[in-house]
Amino acid sequence: MKATQKLTLIGVSIAAAMVLSYVETLIPVPFAVPGIKLGLANTVALFLLFRLDWKAAGLVSLIRVLLSGLLFGNAASLAYSAAGAALSLVVMALLKKTGAFSPVGISVSGAVAHNVGQILMAVVLLGTDQILWWLPALAVSGIVTGLAIGAAGAVLIKKISIPIR
Amino acid sequence: MDKKKLRNDIILILAVLIAALAAWGVIALTQRPGREVLVEIKGSVTASYPLDRDLRIDIVTEDGHVNTLVIEGGRARIEAADCPDKLCVKQRAISKAGESIICLPHKLVIRISGESGVDGTV
């Protein structure tokens, strides 16, 4: 792939991820446990992970977290998202590398890892381990949302092919 | 999708699910009745109230944010808060040792401590 193609693809991906992050803020969360969310923007990270590489997925996630934190969140939500996104990407990239899992399995792991990352950041910021009590509920929600997002991501990966080179 | 990946996916997801449910079970089984309500701001306990006495008090953090703590009939809850998401208000009332209500924006934790000096942090 040419550098300009790659640059364009990353730009479009960031735009798509931003739109998805915005759409997500419009969806009310019916649960009392903070940190439960759909993770729509992860479809973009998942797509890039499979169609380009982990670096592109990481770059897009980083910029998306920073921008959506500034636009739709606050300093605390930015810190939680950043920790979640970072851990999620590491886990997804490693599992992708094993070649043993489909996008759905990787999406679920990424979603659960995102929740674990958020909780760990909250433990650090709040200085309390009380919040670890939420982990089981968040993990289950991560499995459910990860399945949905993974199914969507799998369709994207299948339908949108990128000419290599 | 090939079969091996599907199988691996299922194993992976089940493993995570079982771990989460097991943790949940352990939490539920080890719960004991609580005795005191502790108020923690940024990780340090700033106040404690007996769970068996009804109470309504405004907790004010350093930067001037307010959460209204209510203890009623042996259960503690946050009745009102000036944070944007109000998640602490939506969380259910707590009464068992180790249970907590957490207000992330205000770095505030309300938790229940256990019996006879041994607190509920398992």
Side-chain angles (χ1 to χ4, degrees):
Chain A
M1 186 184 291
K2 282 188 203 140
T4 41
Q5 283 180 310
K6 197 169 172 177
L7 187 66
T8 312
L9 180 64
I10 288 174
V12 171
S13 299
I14 292 169
M18 287 304 297
V19 170
L20 292 174
S21 288
Y22 173 66
V23 168
E24 181 139 340
T25 64
L26 302 177
I27 304 171
V29 180
F31 302 105
V33 178
I36 290 185
K37 57 179 179 180
L38 199 46
L40 282 175
N42 203 37
T43 48
V44 176
L46 202 60
F47 173 77
L48 287 176
L49 193 61
F50 275 81
R51 280 282 177 242
L52 211 52
D53 52 28
W54 67 268
K55 286 179 208 152
L59 180 66
V60 169
S61 291
L62 174 74
I63 295 173
R64 192 256 309 163
V65 165
L66 283 177
L67 288 180
S68 62
L70 290 172
L71 289 171
F72 317 125
N74 52 48
S77 70
L78 180 64
Y80 300 133
S81 301
L87 191 61
S88 164
L89 198 84
V90 169
V91 168
M92 292 199 297
L94 289 176
L95 289 182
K96 164 78 170 47
K97 211 163 187 167
T98 65
F101 302 99
S102 81
V104 177
I106 289 174
S107 166
V108 169
S109 321
V112 175
H114 192 283
N115 288 335
V116 172
Q118 278 180 316
I119 292 267
L120 292 181
M121 179 53 87
V123 168
V124 172
L125 287 185
L126 292 166
T128 176
D129 54 4
Q130 287 302 303
I131 203 160
L132 290 171
W133 293 89
W134 286 348
L135 207 44
L138 279 171
V140 172
S141 98
I143 292 172
V144 176
T145 61
L147 282 172
I149 297 300
V155 173
L156 278 183
I157 293 162
K158 208 172 158 191
K159 298 273 177 185
I160 307 176
S161 60
I162 300 168
I164 312 282
R165 255 174 272 277
Chain B
M1 195 194 310
D2 72 78
K3 262 189 185 148
K4 216 171 116 205
K5 284 189 177 180
L6 181 65
R7 197 201 60 194
N8 288 339
D9 280 359
I10 292 170
I11 293 172
L12 181 73
I13 292 165
L14 282 180
V16 176
L17 189 63
I18 289 167
L21 293 178
W24 218 326
V26 169
I27 289 171
L29 288 175
T30 53
Q31 278 184 335
R32 289 164 299 136
R35 182 152 288 185
E36 277 199 312
V37 180
L38 300 182
V39 177
E40 269 181 29
I41 298 173
K42 286 185 186 164
S44 48
V45 177
T46 58
S48 68
Y49 308 100
L51 194 55
D52 52 11
R53 201 173 314 149
D54 288 2
L55 176 85
R56 177 182 307 263
I57 191 167
D58 283 344
I59 299 162
V60 184
T61 62
E62 280 168 40
D63 31 9
H65 289 296
V66 184
N67 295 63
T68 307
L69 169 70
V70 171
I71 302 173
E72 214 171 47
R75 300 163 72 79
R77 63 192 161 87
I78 297 288
E79 190 179 68
D82 60 357
C83 55
D85 56 10
K86 305 269 190 286
L87 286 172
C88 50
V89 180
K90 282 187 221 159
Q91 285 170 53
R92 67 195 170 93
I94 53 174
S95 59
K96 299 271 180 10
E99 283 188 318
S100 57
I101 296 176
I102 299 170
C103 175
L104 285 177
H106 297 173
K107 299 190 168 51
L108 173 79
V109 178
I110 307 293
R111 67 185 178 91
I112 308 283
S113 75
E115 303 156 286
S116 61
V118 186
D119 78 14
T121 40
V122 182

